Amino acid sequence: MAHDTEFHVHHDSPEAIGRRERLGVRLLIVADGAFLFGMIFSYFYLRNLNVNGGWLQREFILSALLPDGSPHSG
Amino acid sequence: MTTLSHAPASSRPIPNPKKSLITKLNMGTGIVVGVIFCWGTYFAMKAGRDMTDSHNVNKVLLMSMFAWSIGFLIGIGAFIGPFRWLIGKDLTDEEQLYLAGDGQGWKRYFKYCTDHKVVGIQYLVGVMALLGVGGTMAMMIRTNLATPGSHFVTPVVYNSLVGLHGITMIVAMIIVATGPFGNYIMPIMIGAADMAFPRLNALSWWVLFTAVPVLCSAWFLGGIPTGWTAYAPLSDQAGPGMNAFVATIIIFAVSTAVAGMNITTTVVAMRAKGMKWNRVPIFVIGATISVALAIPAFPTFMVAMIQTGLDRTIATGFYDANVGGSGWLYANLFWIMGHPEVYVILIPGVAALMEIAPVFVRKPLFSYNAAIAGFAGIAGLSVLVWAHHMYMAGWMPSLNGPFMVTTEFISVPTGLLFLVLIGTLWRGRPWMKLPMLCVYAFIWNFLIGGITGIYLSDVPADNYLHGSMYVTAHFHYTLMGAALTGAIGGLAYWFPKMTGRMLNERGGYISFWFIQIGFNVLFLGMFIVGAEGQPRRVADYAHLYSHANLISTMGAYSVGIGMIILLWAIVHSWRSGKIAPMNPWGAKTLEWTVPYPVPLVNFDQPPVVTSDPYGYGRSAK
């Protein structure tokens, strides 16, 4: 940090600055977490809805439930 | 952060680092660079693209809007500090003082200034401009609805008016109290020398500033036909104007996150010695809870808008059922933000009035702890009620019951806020100045807004009332009748500290009565036509509703006249009003212990707090 002789800016202690910066970053992480939550929610929500079979074909979902794993058995 | 410190103004040199680039940058250079970036991106992206394809048009427009925002921030010098730090040549002390606007007079309001008082005034003027634009659109809407037949504007223009009025007012109301008072007053109230992150403070304002022309560009791009909620898939299919909405929300969400983080950190980490949590002024508590609620809420709206943007530009289909998407996804993401946002708007306004009431009845705030419990309860429950906006959409009918319960339960902490205000007024001898009038107006308006909300939270009643003018009247009673009244009260109260002059009393009183009477005429009539079945967001209506609509429009004109008188009172008082004493209301919070103009570092000596701020009528403890 450069210092002038004519102009003086008081710098807070590194501990105080560190405390603030840690808290500020944690709050931004909360915001990022909410953003991530929105994306993850979107993925699982749409995947679970499976509108018009756009994510998994209905036959594959059925096949997972059937004993021999065949989409056409029965 | 650094605390700017200097000798008294008379004996110190004025910083003027002539060789530094920061002295040459201001709003003008920001606009020039922003426009160059915007048009450069526009023409570069347009070249070789088939502009008859709407996806290409959306790509070009969205990128041009973001380029404007980034270009403006570069042009005004927002990134000089981080850039200098990255290359190991951090700003000198003289440059930091210059950046804080030291000795620059009115020019600092047009610069990337780190002084929180300057940022507060920038927010105040910005909010008034946004309210003016949004209010003008409201007048146009009501003029169109004065008589049936939609004679004033076409239905398409009416749709855009409703949407743009909505989003403009929502943006304005989110910042209406935390912007001006949260930046100017709040750091002084807690005894801090500055905000925790002064450069980010300036960034939050100027990022928001860049969103305004983007939003206004919607007018020239065909408007937004979706209303302020921008429901999908309508927003996916809407014309080019919708890009302006998408870009505005994304830019605004960045500004909100930065501002929320900064205000919360300042309050948590920079309170004066002795200011324990139970000595923090209630406005500070309210503003902090409000912005802390916004920190997780707005990113989900940002996600919704990014997905809308992706659907519109590269056809991802998040909200397109043909390719596995769903409009309900948008509705969920939007209202997960949308309902907390109502309280982000409301809480600071209520908190400002709680700050005012003890001062003007000369009594301690009744049950400080109940006020905090009310704010915290509302904030906590607000994230559990979003689906009450979707009762009739068909999403998860089995969850209607639980969401009805959580929504109705939110009236309990809301009741605490009434309890605190009424308890404070009880047997007091009110000093009937404009801020105090706003307290009474708030109680009346919010009572109506709150009780009508209980009907809407009830699934069977909502089955009938949803989508009607009743809903419009309800949320205007909470957002305008309560939150804006709180903000006007806050402005009347802190005006002497922010401008050094008293707000013109006669103008204030006249505007108050025009606004409050007009407001109630406007929206009480709207409850009636809504309950009778008049739909909202529709340009025309049956003759059955014509008398009530005409009366509502007359109420709207009264509000408009009142707002113009208030604007005149503000401008006139600011220019040539009566000089304000240091503490005209005899209040006990710290902001009234500093002179006007407030020194760059706020306090000559760091204050020490020894009592709570509401010890009226009792000795300090």
Side-chain angles (χ1 to χ4, degrees):
Chain A
M1 178 68 71
H3 287 274
D4 307 34
T5 51
E6 195 178 8
F7 298 93
H8 173 63
V9 174
H10 167 74
H11 299 280
D12 289 346
S13 70
E15 291 79 16
I17 295 171
R19 258 198 314 275
R20 278 174 219 147
E21 290 185 349
R22 273 195 300 279
L23 177 59
V25 167
R26 282 173 188 156
L27 290 168
L28 286 182
I29 289 171
V30 170
D32 288 345
F35 185 89
L36 192 63
F37 161 78
M39 298 301 281
I40 293 171
F41 174 82
S42 302
Y43 172 74
F44 283 108
Y45 183 75
L46 290 179
R47 192 173 183 277
N48 190 49
L49 272 185
N50 195 25
V51 180
N52 292 331
W55 289 73
L56 291 169
Q57 295 298 318
R58 291 192 189 284
E59 298 87 64
F60 286 109
I61 297 172
L62 281 173
S63 69
L65 300 172
L66 295 172
D68 66 350
S70 163
H72 300 296
S73 64
Chain B
M1 98 122 210
T2 54
T3 303
L4 303 171
S5 171
H6 54 70
S10 55
S11 61
R12 66 187 157 82
I14 300 297
N16 188 17
K18 283 181 180 169
K19 288 180 184 172
S20 177
L21 182 61
I22 62 169
T23 61
K24 297 168 182 65
L25 302 179
N26 54 39
M27 201 170 104
T29 55
I31 290 171
V32 169
V33 177
V35 169
I36 290 170
F37 268 56
C38 178
W39 284 108
T41 306
Y42 179 79
F43 287 115
M45 287 192 70
K46 195 179 165 191
R49 275 199 165 79
D50 174 15
M51 292 301 277
T52 57
D53 180 353
S54 65
H55 292 114
N56 282 338
V57 173
N58 295 335
K59 271 180 213 163
V60 172
L61 288 176
L62 265 178
M63 287 302 120
S64 303
M65 289 166 185
F66 291 130
W68 144 258
S69 182
I70 293 167
F72 178 89
L73 293 172
I74 291 172
I76 201 171
F79 304 125
I80 283 184
F83 178 74
R84 290 272 298 272
W85 177 79
L86 275 174
I87 61 172
K89 292 182 179 175
D90 209 350
L91 298 179
T92 63
D93 288 0
E94 185 180 14
E95 285 172 319
Q96 291 201 47
L97 283 169
Y98 185 87
L99 210 56
D102 192 19
Q104 291 171 51
W106 60 270
K107 287 183 182 173
R108 64 198 161 140
Y109 295 104
F110 299 93
K111 284 175 171 273
Y112 190 82
C113 182
T114 56
D115 184 358
H116 69 93
K117 278 98 58 188
V118 173
V119 176
I121 295 294
Q122 287 168 332
Y123 266 107
L124 178 63
V125 174
V127 162
M128 290 198 300
L130 282 172
L131 290 176
V133 172
T136 304
M137 287 190 271
M139 290 300 128
M140 293 168 76
I141 291 169
R142 279 316 317 176
T143 303
N144 192 60
L145 292 176
T147 54
S150 192
H151 299 301
F152 185 64
V153 292
T154 64
V156 173
V157 172
Y158 181 86
N159 271 356
S160 266
L161 271 175
V162 170
L164 282 165
H165 160 74
I167 192 61
T168 305
M169 287 306 206
I170 288 289
V171 169
M173 290 304 297
I174 286 170
I175 58 173
V176 73
T178 43
F181 314 134
N183 279 289
Y184 196 115
I185 300 293
M186 194 206 66
I188 313 175
M189 279 182 117
I190 62 169
D194 203 338
M195 296 289 277
F197 306 106
R199 285 184 211 163
L200 289 182
N201 201 28
L203 185 72
S204 72
W205 158 250
W206 287 112
V207 168
L208 173 67
F209 176 84
T210 65
V212 176
V214 172
L215 184 59
C216 293
S217 72
W219 279 115
F220 307 101
L221 296 169
I224 54 168
T226 58
W228 89 271
T229 51
Y231 274 140
L234 197 55
S235 56
D236 275 8
Q237 300 156 355
M242 202 67 222
N243 298 303
F245 185 97
V246 171
T248 298
I249 298 303
I250 293 172
I251 295 168
F252 183 58
V254 172
S255 166
T256 309
V258 172
M261 178 274 279
N262 201 3
I263 289 176
T264 309
T265 306
T266 304
V267 173
V268 172
M270 295 184 68
R271 298 190 311 281
K273 191 176 177 184
M275 186 175 277
K276 294 179 279 189
W277 279 110
N278 61 354
R279 289 176 179 167
V280 177
I282 198 67
F283 173 71
V284 177
I285 296 281
T288 308
I289 288 176
S290 162
V291 295
L293 182 59
I295 288 173
F298 280 87
T300 58
F301 196 14
M302 194 181 192
V303 169
M305 280 299 120
I306 288 173
Q307 290 173 349
T308 304
L310 291 172
D311 278 7
R312 293 174 57 82
T313 52
I314 55 173
T316 43
F318 281 102
Y319 309 133
D320 183 355
N322 290 320
V323 290
S326 169
W328 279 333
L329 170 64
Y330 178 85
N332 275 289
L333 288 172
F334 178 81
W335 287 117
I336 286 172
M337 177 290 304
H339 203 81
E341 164 259 311
V342 172
Y343 298 105
V344 169
I345 292 171
L346 183 70
I347 289 174
V350 185
L353 295 174
M354 285 184 180
E355 197 66 51
I356 289 166
V359 177
F360 288 82
V361 293
R362 313 311 290 176
K363 280 180 63 191
L365 184 71
F366 178 77
S367 191
Y368 177 88
N369 290 340
I372 294 173
F375 290 145
I378 287 172
L381 282 170
S382 72
V383 295
L384 300 173
V385 300
W386 78 90
H388 70 223
H389 295 273
M390 297 151 65
Y391 286 155
M392 300 306 137
W395 181 77
M396 294 274 190
S398 58
L399 289 180
N400 282 357
F403 275 105
M404 184 172 79
V405 171
T406 53
T407 307
E408 290 180 351
F409 194 60
I410 216 166
S411 56
V412 175
T414 308
L416 288 179
L417 305 185
F418 278 101
L419 182 73
V420 171
L421 274 174
I422 292 171
T424 306
L425 301 180
W426 186 254
R427 292 187 173 178
R429 299 177 63 187
W431 186 18
M432 293 303 282
K433 294 287 183 181
L434 181 57
M436 194 61 201
L437 287 176
C438 290
V439 175
Y440 286 103
F442 165 85
I443 291 172
W444 170 258
N445 292 338
F446 194 44
L447 191 65
I448 294 172
I451 288 174
T452 52
I454 295 173
Y455 291 100
L456 291 171
S457 72
D458 188 66
V459 177
D462 189 64
N463 190 22
Y464 177 73
L465 294 169
H466 84 281
S468 74
M469 281 296 200
Y470 186 96
V471 181
T472 311
H474 156 71
F475 69 72
H476 277 86
Y477 258 95
T478 53
L479 297 186
M480 186 179 173
L484 185 60
T485 300
I488 291 173
L491 180 64
Y493 179 62
W494 283 304
F495 192 83
K497 190 52 58 186
M498 295 176 79
T499 66
R501 294 176 185 273
M502 301 300 291
L503 185 65
N504 183 292
E505 274 196 58
R506 184 182 294 248
Y509 288 140
I510 295 171
S511 74
F512 174 86
W513 288 112
F514 264 100
I515 291 170
Q516 294 302 330
I517 292 172
F519 170 81
N520 280 279
V521 168
L522 164 57
F523 290 108
L524 282 174
M526 212 178 269
F527 277 125
I528 295 167
V529 292
E532 287 178 347
Q534 184 183 339
R536 61 192 284 216
R537 297 182 179 136
V538 179
D540 197 5
Y541 53 85
H543 279 273
L544 165 71
Y545 311 122
S546 56
H547 286 106
N549 270 282
L550 182 60
I551 292 168
S552 279
T553 299
M554 289 161 69
Y557 288 158
S558 172
V559 173
I561 292 167
M563 287 295 181
I564 290 169
I565 295 171
L566 181 62
L567 180 65
W568 170 84
I570 290 169
V571 174
H572 178 262
S573 308
W574 208 330
R575 286 165 59 97
S576 54
K578 198 172 91 180
I579 299 293
M582 197 160 83
N583 187 2
W585 316 120
K588 289 178 179 276
T589 39
L590 285 175
E591 76 272 26
W592 301 106
T593 63
V594 296
Y596 181 87
V598 182
L600 193 60
V601 288
N602 297 342
F603 301 94
D604 290 337
Q605 296 294 326
V608 177
V609 178
T610 56
S611 65
D612 77 69
Y614 306 113
Y616 300 103
R618 66 175 188 232
S619 57
K621 61 180 179 183

